[in-house]
Structures are given as structure tokens and as C-alpha cells.
Amino acid sequence: MPAYLYQIILMGGKDARLAALKTAVAARATDLGIDPRGIVYLDESAFADGYDRKKPAFGIYFGNQNRTVPEPLDRLEQDSIVIAPIVTAKTQVGVEIPDALQHINVVEVGMNGDNIPRLASLVFETFRLLRKDRGIFISYRRKGSQPLANRLYEELDKRGFDVFIDIRSVPPAVDFQAELWHRMSDVDTILLIDTPGFREGRWTKAELAQANLLGIQTLHLLWPGQVEDRNFAFSRYVKLLATDFSGPSPGRGATIKQAVVDSICDLAEELRAEAMALRHAHLVDNFCDAARDLAFEPTVQPERWISVLLQNGSSLAVVPAVGRPTSDRINTIFDAISEHKAADAPIWAIYDSRGLHENWVRHLRWLDGHLPIRTISVADVPDALRGLLT
């Protein structure tokens, strides 16, 4: 049997974009704590002998002028494998994609490699190593940076992010701070626009303290003239230059250039993996420490869930759930883990409850009584484990 864990099936006209994708996938795997050698690339000639239907797979068809129908297509469709058709531009679907794949939404990746980070994320989302929800929070000071915040909001929204930005995202008559913490608990990245006076703002210190508490990565845009601040522990800094804007001076009617916006959005996509890895590690470490304190022997499986042998000889399957558990995410966890665990193994989904509305936590407790999977706050893990000892 092959020694790899994940498969990327390559079809169509492979070109320079493939090398860029492999580089991005390797980097993203490293960020997630996954050995890149566990990901194999199978082209059409190696598919018949190398493909393993029991392992996660993702198909990529690189559009080309020949529009050749790939030989593995029938087998991949039979196995319900996700296939992403890649085009140089959405107007080229009829030119680059065969009729048999034109019913699938395409991913636009130019020959210069733009949007490669999004394609790499799609790979890991399909492998269930990155969640498909792509939350991002924009923190800014309205005076001076409102136009840039609006521009980034629109661009990120166009790229499929669920963007949280102050009054656009909070309904009227809602406790703003409670809603802010609740929404922040579910984002992967904070995009912080650091303009003069921003750090003295009413919400700034509270927002950044909460982000550091939750291990959320911050893409920290430094306005021209602003300097880095060591207090922002999880920040990746991007120094904006006056030349990144066109028109008058920044903050006085200047507009940021599209190439800079594209670069910021690509970085936000890349930071998702780092954020997921940190938050996943927090859940795993806390659970395993609590289990060992009670003489259990937790084992982290290659698919990144935790198995625990119980005293009665059965086993417990524990899945870290980064962000806010929802019924569809719980269902995804159940489907993903059912094929790996023992038939009689109970399933726990552990999550970080910090910042969540109490109403949401009560809803999760209600779901526990109706679903074949139990959600447990990582803070409550020790008590839940003690319950298995009685």
C-alpha cells in the first residue's frame, strides 16, 4: 500500500502553475504541522497504480487549449472526489475546460500564479484539514482608514471570506461587545489597519488582547510612518508605503493599488493555516494533558483526532473543533470520524468556549441530548473525563 496519507490527482495541461501550487501546498502543510511527504501527486499516467480510494483525494484539472478529457475522470466521479477545474480567466471556460467538467465551478488562476493561495486552501479544506468557513475580522479606526477598510471588505467578500466589520456586521439593538467577542471567537484571522491614533482607540487594546488570548493570527497593516509593537504577539506585519497608494497622500483621498490589495488578501489566506494550527494545538495539548493527569493514554491519530482507550476496553474518539461549533460542522465531524473509529466508540467534539455567547453554549448542551456526538468545552474536559472513571 502507498505510504502517503493524501492524494492530489493532476489532470489536463500542467504548466508553471503546478510548481507554484506544490510550493504553496508544502508550505501550508508545514504550517498545519503535516509532513508534506504525506501528500502525493498522481498524474494521469500514475493514477491506475497509485490511486487509493480509501485515502482522501482531490482532483485538479489544469485548463488547456486541447480540452482533453482526463482518463481518471470516471473513477473520480464514481468515488465522489472533488475536482477543481483551473482556468486562466473565467471567460476562458469554453476554451480551456472540456464539456464533461464545465458544470463545476472553476478556480481562476493566472499564469503569474495569482490565487494560488486560495487553491492551496481548497486542497486542505477538501482534506478536512482546514475548515471551509473562512472568517476574518477587520479592525480599524474610522477616521483616516474607512475607505481602505471598505475596499478590503469588498475584496475579501468577493474571495469568499465571511468578513466581520463593525456596524456592517452587528444588527441594531445588539450588545456590541458581546457580539464582537462571539464573532471573533470564530474567525481565523484579524486584519488590523494600524493608522495614527489607532492604538489609542476605545476598542483596540481589548480586541488585540482577545485575539492574543484565542491565538488568532493578526495581519497587521502598518500605515506609512507607523512602527511595529511587540505587545501584539500574534502579528505578522506588513509595512504599507506611500508608493502603495495612488493619488494624494494616504488618508487624504489616496486609493490603495489593486496589486497591494491582492497581496494583502493572499497573505490573509496563508495566515489561516497558521491560525488553525495554533488553535488546533491548543485544544489537543489541553485535552491530552488533562487525560494523562487522570491516567488515560491519549493517542493523536494521523488524521489529527485523538483516540483514548477506556477502562471497559472500548475507545473514545475526540475531535478538536476550531472555532464556534455549529450543527453542520458537528455533522461534518461525525461523518469524517465515523470511517476511522471503532463502531462502538463515543465521539466528543472539543472546542474553546472563550468569547462565545452563553446562549450558544446552552444550545450546544441541548444538542448533546439529541445527537450521537457530544460537544465539550476544553475547560470542562477534566470533569468529563472523570465521569468516564465512575
Side-chain angles (χ1 to χ4, degrees):
M1 292 291 292
Y4 50 81
L5 297 174
Y6 305 97
Q7 309 164 96
I8 298 177
I9 316 302
L10 303 172
M11 299 168 286
K14 296 176 284 295
D15 48 47
R17 292 174 295 181
L18 174 56
L21 175 64
K22 287 184 176 181
T23 299
V25 166
R28 194 67 53 86
T30 301
D31 288 340
L32 287 167
I34 300 165
D35 188 343
R37 293 174 297 181
I39 303 172
V40 67
Y41 294 85
L42 300 174
D43 61 23
E44 294 179 55
S45 63
F47 178 80
D49 294 329
Y51 173 64
D52 184 348
R53 67 182 303 273
K54 295 181 180 180
K55 289 184 167 59
F58 180 76
I60 299 177
Y61 182 90
F62 287 93
N64 61 96
Q65 298 291 324
N66 294 327
R67 300 174 66 239
T68 53
V69 178
E71 290 186 11
L73 181 59
D74 287 344
R75 178 65 184 277
L76 295 178
E77 289 183 337
Q78 289 174 12
D79 292 345
S80 300
I81 300 302
V82 174
I83 301 173
I86 310 301
V87 294
T88 53
K90 291 185 177 178
T91 56
Q92 298 299 302
V93 172
V95 177
E96 299 178 355
I97 303 299
D99 294 344
L101 290 171
Q102 288 189 16
H103 63 287
I104 304 173
N105 287 340
V106 298
V107 180
E108 186 176 356
V109 179
M111 296 305 294
N112 61 355
D114 61 333
N115 219 23
I116 283 289
R118 177 66 190 117
L119 180 56
S121 290
L122 186 58
V123 170
F124 288 95
E125 288 167 10
T126 303
F127 292 157
R128 292 174 172 154
L129 298 171
L130 274 178
R131 57 182 181 164
K132 293 185 178 180
D133 306 85
R134 305 164 66 237
I136 191 167
F137 175 87
I138 298 179
S139 180
Y140 69 105
R141 184 173 183 245
R142 293 181 190 175
K143 183 179 179 180
S145 59
Q146 183 77 61
L148 176 56
N150 290 340
R151 176 81 177 278
L152 291 170
Y153 175 93
E154 292 167 0
E155 189 67 29
L156 289 163
D157 180 70
K158 184 169 37 176
R159 292 184 178 220
F161 280 90
D162 179 14
V163 189
F164 181 94
I165 180 171
D166 56 43
I167 56 173
R168 290 199 189 195
S169 304
V170 179
V174 168
D175 183 328
F176 182 83
Q177 185 168 19
E179 182 67 16
L180 181 68
W181 295 161
H182 184 68
R183 292 291 297 270
M184 188 181 287
S185 70
D186 201 41
V187 303
D188 300 319
T189 311
I190 291 179
L191 180 55
L192 188 155
I193 306 174
D194 191 344
T195 52
F198 170 82
R199 298 176 192 178
E200 289 74 47
R202 176 185 176 188
W203 296 102
T204 302
K205 292 182 180 179
E207 289 175 2
L208 269 296
Q210 186 75 357
N212 285 345
L213 177 69
L214 296 175
I216 300 173
Q217 294 291 291
T218 301
L219 183 55
H220 196 139
L221 306 183
L222 291 170
W223 204 253
Q226 292 289 91
V227 296
E228 298 180 8
D229 188 335
R230 293 180 181 177
N231 291 322
F232 300 153
F234 291 96
S235 287
R236 179 184 293 189
Y237 291 97
V238 175
K239 294 183 179 180
L240 296 175
L241 306 174
T243 54
D244 291 332
F245 297 81
S246 57
S249 60
R252 298 180 181 178
T255 57
I256 194 165
K257 295 176 180 177
Q258 184 62 43
V260 181
V261 172
D262 290 341
S263 176
I264 291 170
C265 292
D266 285 347
L267 280 172
E269 190 73 68
E270 292 174 10
L271 275 180
R272 291 181 65 222
E274 293 183 23
M276 288 286 290
L278 282 171
R279 301 180 75 182
H280 184 274
H282 167 77
L283 294 171
V284 170
D285 291 347
N286 276 272
F287 177 86
C288 289
D289 287 346
R292 293 187 185 106
D293 287 345
L294 294 170
F296 289 102
E297 295 184 6
T299 302
V300 181
Q301 302 295 330
E303 296 85 5
R304 307 204 312 159
W305 58 280
I306 308 163
S307 61
V308 182
L309 184 64
L310 303 180
Q311 291 178 337
N312 61 6
S314 65
S315 61
L316 168 69
V318 181
V319 185
V322 174
R324 185 173 63 225
T326 60
S327 56
D328 59 332
R329 291 180 190 170
I330 294 170
N331 181 67
T332 299
I333 288 171
F334 180 77
D335 289 343
I337 198 65
S338 293
E339 61 188 77
H340 297 293
K341 71 177 184 65
D344 61 341
I347 305 173
W348 289 0
I350 57 172
Y351 66 97
D352 190 341
S353 63
R354 291 176 296 182
L356 291 183
H357 276 311
E358 179 57 31
N359 288 342
W360 197 278
V361 177
R362 283 200 295 267
H363 172 66
L364 291 174
R365 290 171 183 158
W366 176 82
L367 284 176
D368 288 343
H370 297 79
L371 299 177
I373 182 171
R374 183 181 176 190
T375 59
I376 298 177
S377 166
V378 70
D380 296 332
V381 161
D383 288 340
L385 287 172
R386 288 189 191 98
L388 298 176
L389 296 172
T390 59

